[in-house]
Amino acid sequence: MAKLFFLLLSLCFLLLCCAPSYTNSHQICKLDLLYQSRDTISGRNFIRQVPVHSMSGHLTSICLDRKDCRGKLGRALSLVGEVSGNYYNDAILQGKTTEELTSMVPDVVDATIDAARKLINLGTTRVVIPGNFPIGCFPIYQTASVRNSSTEYDENQCVKQLNEFAKYHNQQLQQGIERLNEEKPHATVIYADYYKAYQYLLRYARFTVNGWDWTHAGMDTEKACCGIGGKYNFNMTRRCGSRGVPICTDAERYVSWDGVHLTQKSLKIMARSLLFNIFPKLQCRF
């Protein structure tokens, strides 16, 4: 989900200008690179995914010296995450209680903030840290967390308890980001609100919208495009890509691609919302 989404973001950032700033003034310069710190290493042109623990080695391969490295990172935008999904996914699917999930949050938030801190210490001046999605709206979690009462679902048929947990994680993460901004005043650390962006996507999906070069008559917000079986067209043992699992004829009519990841159209809609909210906070002049 994040790979496709950040690829779209990177293309948008490439077209715009932003400058590292150690003062309150807004300056102009090109962003040369977008780093996404996750758990794999890959890179094509503008966007590069580099795990934080491998960042020093990566910089050694592209920099002439320490000053050159700080200069390169000063002209880059670093994305830390989305981290929490990988940590919480197994716990939820194993049937961990809300209390057990909640106890994991401090460690996850600390790990995320520490990763951002390390990047800033290496020379990054602009960091974006995404929060968690309303995970109770995803077919994989809805299938794993079936509720007996309709009152346990919200107006979007999402599992309330899981969404409340996601909100709690996001609140704790935002507090961590505030502390990091106070600790590193020369850098700009921004929270990317995936939760609100997904809510925007759901609103868009449920109504006919003309404009933004799009015309549509609603999207399926519950079922996966690629999948089989059950209310959500999702089966953990027969997931998208397995033999005999069909793919819908029009992915643009679906929010979810395979029950775990979003369709390209959904990512595009979310990106619009996120970019609108992120750019003003980057202290850029266009």
Side-chain angles (χ1 to χ4, degrees), residues 237-276:
T237 61
R238 296 188 67 193
R239 295 172 61 171
C240 182
S242 299
R243 184 183 298 274
V245 175
I247 301 175
C248 66
T249 57
D250 187 359
E252 291 202 348
R253 298 293 183 186
Y254 290 79
V255 167
S256 177
W257 164 246
D258 61 358
V260 181
H261 306 91
L262 303 182
T263 60
Q264 289 283 353
K265 183 170 184 177
S266 296
L267 296 173
K268 187 175 183 179
I269 296 167
M270 280 190 63
R272 286 183 179 273
S273 173
L274 284 164
L275 291 171
F276 179 81

Coordinates of all heavy atoms in Angstrom, one line a residue, residues 237-276:
T237 N -7.0 -17.5 3.5 CA -6.2 -18.6 3.0 C -6.3 -18.7 1.4 O -5.6 -19.5 0.8 CB -6.8 -19.9 3.5 OG1 -8.2 -20.0 3.1 CG2 -6.7 -20.0 5.1
R238 N -7.1 -17.8 0.8 CA -7.1 -17.7 -0.6 C -7.1 -16.3 -1.0 O -8.1 -15.7 -1.5 CB -8.4 -18.4 -1.2 CG -8.4 -19.9 -0.9 CD -9.6 -20.5 -1.7 NE -9.4 -20.4 -3.1 CZ -10.4 -20.6 -4.0 NH1 -11.6 -20.9 -3.6 NH2 -10.2 -20.5 -5.3
R239 N -6.0 -15.7 -0.9 CA -5.8 -14.2 -1.1 C -5.6 -14.0 -2.6 O -5.3 -14.8 -3.4 CB -4.7 -13.7 -0.2 CG -5.1 -13.7 1.2 CD -4.0 -13.4 2.2 NE -3.5 -12.0 2.0 CZ -2.7 -11.4 2.8 NH1 -2.2 -12.0 3.8 NH2 -2.3 -10.1 2.5
C240 N -5.6 -12.7 -3.0 CA -5.4 -12.2 -4.3 C -4.1 -12.8 -4.8 O -3.1 -12.7 -4.1 CB -5.4 -10.7 -4.4 SG -5.2 -10.0 -6.0
G241 N -4.1 -13.4 -6.0 CA -2.9 -14.0 -6.6 C -2.9 -15.5 -6.5 O -2.1 -16.1 -7.2
S242 N -3.7 -16.0 -5.6 CA -3.8 -17.5 -5.5 C -4.6 -18.0 -6.7 O -5.4 -17.3 -7.3 CB -4.6 -17.8 -4.2 OG -3.9 -17.4 -3.1
R243 N -4.4 -19.3 -7.0 CA -5.0 -19.9 -8.1 C -6.6 -19.9 -7.9 O -7.1 -20.2 -6.9 CB -4.6 -21.4 -8.2 CG -5.2 -22.1 -9.5 CD -4.7 -23.5 -9.5 NE -3.3 -23.7 -9.6 CZ -2.6 -23.7 -10.7 NH1 -3.3 -23.5 -11.9 NH2 -1.3 -23.8 -10.7
G244 N -7.3 -19.4 -9.0 CA -8.7 -19.4 -9.0 C -9.4 -18.2 -8.3 O -10.6 -18.1 -8.3
V245 N -8.6 -17.3 -7.8 CA -9.1 -16.1 -7.1 C -9.3 -15.0 -8.2 O -8.4 -14.6 -8.9 CB -8.2 -15.6 -6.0 CG1 -8.7 -14.2 -5.5 CG2 -8.0 -16.6 -4.9
P246 N -10.6 -14.6 -8.4 CA -10.9 -13.6 -9.5 C -10.5 -12.2 -9.2 O -10.4 -11.8 -8.0 CB -12.4 -13.8 -9.7 CG -12.9 -14.2 -8.3 CD -11.8 -15.0 -7.7
I247 N -10.4 -11.4 -10.3 CA -10.2 -10.0 -10.2 C -11.4 -9.3 -10.8 O -11.9 -9.7 -11.8 CB -8.9 -9.5 -10.9 CG1 -7.7 -10.3 -10.3 CG2 -8.7 -8.0 -10.8 CD1 -6.4 -10.0 -11.1
C248 N -11.8 -8.2 -10.2 CA -13.0 -7.5 -10.7 C -12.7 -6.9 -12.0 O -11.5 -6.7 -12.4 CB -13.4 -6.4 -9.7 SG -12.1 -5.0 -9.5
T249 N -13.7 -6.5 -12.8 CA -13.5 -6.0 -14.1 C -13.2 -4.5 -14.1 O -12.6 -4.0 -15.1 CB -14.8 -6.2 -15.0 OG1 -15.9 -5.6 -14.3 CG2 -15.0 -7.7 -15.1
D250 N -13.5 -3.8 -13.1 CA -13.2 -2.3 -13.0 C -12.7 -2.0 -11.6 O -13.5 -1.7 -10.7 CB -14.5 -1.6 -13.3 CG -14.3 -0.1 -13.5 OD1 -13.1 0.4 -13.3 OD2 -15.3 0.7 -13.8
A251 N -11.4 -1.9 -11.5 CA -10.8 -1.7 -10.1 C -11.2 -0.2 -9.7 O -11.1 0.0 -8.5 CB -9.3 -1.8 -10.2
E252 N -11.5 0.7 -10.6 CA -11.7 2.0 -10.2 C -13.1 2.2 -9.4 O -13.4 3.2 -8.9 CB -11.7 3.0 -11.4 CG -10.4 3.2 -12.0 CD -10.2 4.4 -12.8 OE1 -11.3 5.0 -13.1 OE2 -9.1 4.8 -13.2
R253 N -13.9 1.1 -9.4 CA -15.1 1.1 -8.7 C -14.9 0.6 -7.3 O -15.9 0.4 -6.6 CB -16.2 0.3 -9.4 CG -16.5 0.8 -10.8 CD -17.2 2.1 -10.7 NE -17.6 2.6 -12.1 CZ -18.2 3.8 -12.3 NH1 -18.4 4.6 -11.3 NH2 -18.5 4.1 -13.5
Y254 N -13.7 0.3 -6.9 CA -13.4 -0.3 -5.6 C -12.4 0.6 -4.8 O -11.5 1.1 -5.4 CB -12.9 -1.7 -5.7 CG -13.9 -2.7 -6.2 CD1 -14.2 -2.8 -7.5 CD2 -14.5 -3.6 -5.3 CE1 -15.1 -3.7 -8.0 CE2 -15.4 -4.5 -5.7 CZ -15.7 -4.6 -7.1 OH -16.7 -5.5 -7.5
V255 N -12.6 0.7 -3.5 CA -11.7 1.3 -2.6 C -10.5 0.4 -2.3 O -9.3 0.7 -2.4 CB -12.3 1.7 -1.3 CG1 -11.3 2.1 -0.2 CG2 -13.3 2.9 -1.5
S256 N -10.8 -0.9 -2.0 CA -9.8 -1.9 -1.7 C -9.4 -2.7 -2.9 O -10.3 -3.2 -3.6 CB -10.3 -2.8 -0.6 OG -9.3 -3.8 -0.3
W257 N -8.1 -2.9 -3.1 CA -7.6 -3.8 -4.2 C -7.7 -5.2 -3.8 O -8.4 -6.0 -4.5 CB -6.2 -3.4 -4.6 CG -5.5 -4.4 -5.4 CD1 -4.4 -5.2 -5.0 CD2 -5.9 -4.9 -6.7 NE1 -4.1 -6.0 -6.1 CE2 -4.9 -5.9 -7.1 CE3 -6.9 -4.5 -7.6 CZ2 -5.0 -6.5 -8.3 CZ3 -6.9 -5.1 -8.8 CH2 -6.0 -6.1 -9.2
D258 N -7.1 -5.6 -2.7 CA -7.0 -7.0 -2.3 C -7.4 -7.3 -0.9 O -7.0 -8.4 -0.4 CB -5.6 -7.6 -2.6 CG -4.5 -6.8 -1.8 OD1 -4.9 -5.9 -1.1 OD2 -3.3 -7.2 -2.0
G259 N -8.0 -6.3 -0.3 CA -8.4 -6.5 1.2 C -7.4 -6.0 2.1 O -7.6 -5.7 3.3
V260 N -6.1 -5.7 1.6 CA -5.0 -5.2 2.4 C -4.6 -3.9 1.8 O -4.3 -2.9 2.6 CB -3.9 -6.2 2.4 CG1 -2.7 -5.6 3.3 CG2 -4.3 -7.6 2.9
H261 N -4.4 -3.8 0.5 CA -3.9 -2.6 -0.2 C -5.1 -1.9 -0.9 O -6.1 -2.5 -1.2 CB -2.9 -3.0 -1.2 CG -1.7 -3.8 -0.6 ND1 -1.7 -5.1 -0.5 CD2 -0.6 -3.4 0.0 CE1 -0.6 -5.6 0.1 NE2 0.1 -4.5 0.4
L262 N -4.9 -0.6 -1.1 CA -5.9 0.2 -1.8 C -5.7 0.1 -3.3 O -4.6 -0.1 -3.8 CB -5.9 1.6 -1.3 CG -6.1 1.8 0.2 CD1 -6.1 3.3 0.5 CD2 -7.4 1.2 0.6
T263 N -6.7 0.5 -4.1 CA -6.6 0.6 -5.5 C -5.9 1.8 -5.9 O -5.7 2.8 -5.1 CB -8.0 0.6 -6.2 OG1 -8.7 1.7 -5.7 CG2 -8.8 -0.7 -5.9
Q264 N -5.4 1.9 -7.1 CA -4.7 3.1 -7.6 C -5.5 4.3 -7.5 O -5.1 5.4 -7.1 CB -4.2 2.9 -9.0 CG -3.1 1.9 -9.2 CD -1.7 2.5 -8.8 OE1 -1.6 3.6 -8.5 NE2 -0.7 1.6 -8.8
K265 N -6.8 4.2 -7.8 CA -7.7 5.4 -7.7 C -7.8 5.9 -6.3 O -7.8 7.1 -6.0 CB -9.1 5.1 -8.3 CG -10.0 6.3 -8.3 CD -11.2 6.0 -9.1 CE -12.1 7.2 -9.2 NZ -13.3 7.0 -10.0
S266 N -8.0 4.9 -5.3 CA -8.1 5.3 -3.9 C -6.8 6.0 -3.5 O -6.9 7.0 -2.7 CB -8.3 4.0 -3.1 OG -9.5 3.4 -3.4
L267 N -5.7 5.5 -3.9 CA -4.4 6.2 -3.5 C -4.3 7.6 -4.0 O -3.9 8.5 -3.4 CB -3.2 5.4 -4.0 CG -3.1 4.0 -3.4 CD1 -2.0 3.2 -4.1 CD2 -2.8 4.0 -1.9
K268 N -4.8 7.7 -5.2 CA -4.8 9.1 -5.9 C -5.7 10.0 -5.1 O -5.3 11.2 -4.9 CB -5.3 8.9 -7.3 CG -5.1 10.2 -8.2 CD -5.5 9.9 -9.6 CE -5.3 11.1 -10.5 NZ -5.7 10.8 -11.9
I269 N -6.8 9.6 -4.7 CA -7.8 10.5 -4.0 C -7.2 10.8 -2.6 O -7.2 12.0 -2.2 CB -9.1 9.7 -3.8 CG1 -9.8 9.5 -5.1 CG2 -10.0 10.6 -2.9 CD1 -11.0 8.6 -5.1
M270 N -6.6 9.8 -1.9 CA -6.0 10.1 -0.6 C -4.8 11.1 -0.8 O -4.6 11.9 0.1 CB -5.5 8.8 0.0 CG -6.6 8.0 0.7 SD -5.9 6.6 1.7 CE -4.9 7.5 2.9
A271 N -4.0 10.9 -1.8 CA -2.8 11.8 -2.1 C -3.2 13.2 -2.2 O -2.6 14.1 -1.7 CB -2.1 11.3 -3.3
R272 N -4.3 13.5 -2.9 CA -4.8 14.9 -3.0 C -5.1 15.5 -1.6 O -4.7 16.6 -1.4 CB -6.1 14.9 -3.8 CG -5.8 14.7 -5.3 CD -7.1 14.8 -6.1 NE -6.9 14.6 -7.5 CZ -6.6 15.6 -8.4 NH1 -6.4 16.8 -7.9 NH2 -6.4 15.3 -9.7
S273 N -5.7 14.7 -0.8 CA -6.0 15.2 0.6 C -4.8 15.5 1.4 O -4.6 16.5 2.0 CB -6.9 14.2 1.3 OG -7.1 14.6 2.6
L274 N -3.8 14.5 1.3 CA -2.6 14.6 2.1 C -1.7 15.8 1.6 O -1.2 16.5 2.4 CB -1.8 13.3 2.0 CG -2.4 12.2 2.9 CD1 -1.8 10.8 2.5 CD2 -2.1 12.4 4.3
L275 N -1.6 15.9 0.3 CA -0.7 17.0 -0.2 C -1.3 18.3 0.1 O -0.5 19.3 0.4 CB -0.6 16.8 -1.8 CG 0.2 15.6 -2.3 CD1 0.0 15.5 -3.8 CD2 1.7 15.7 -1.9
F276 N -2.6 18.5 0.1 CA -3.2 19.7 0.4 C -2.9 20.1 1.9 O -2.7 21.3 2.2 CB -4.7 19.6 0.3 CG -5.5 20.9 0.6 CD1 -5.6 21.9 -0.3 CD2 -6.1 21.0 1.9 CE1 -6.3 23.1 0.1 CE2 -6.8 22.1 2.2 CZ -6.9 23.2 1.3

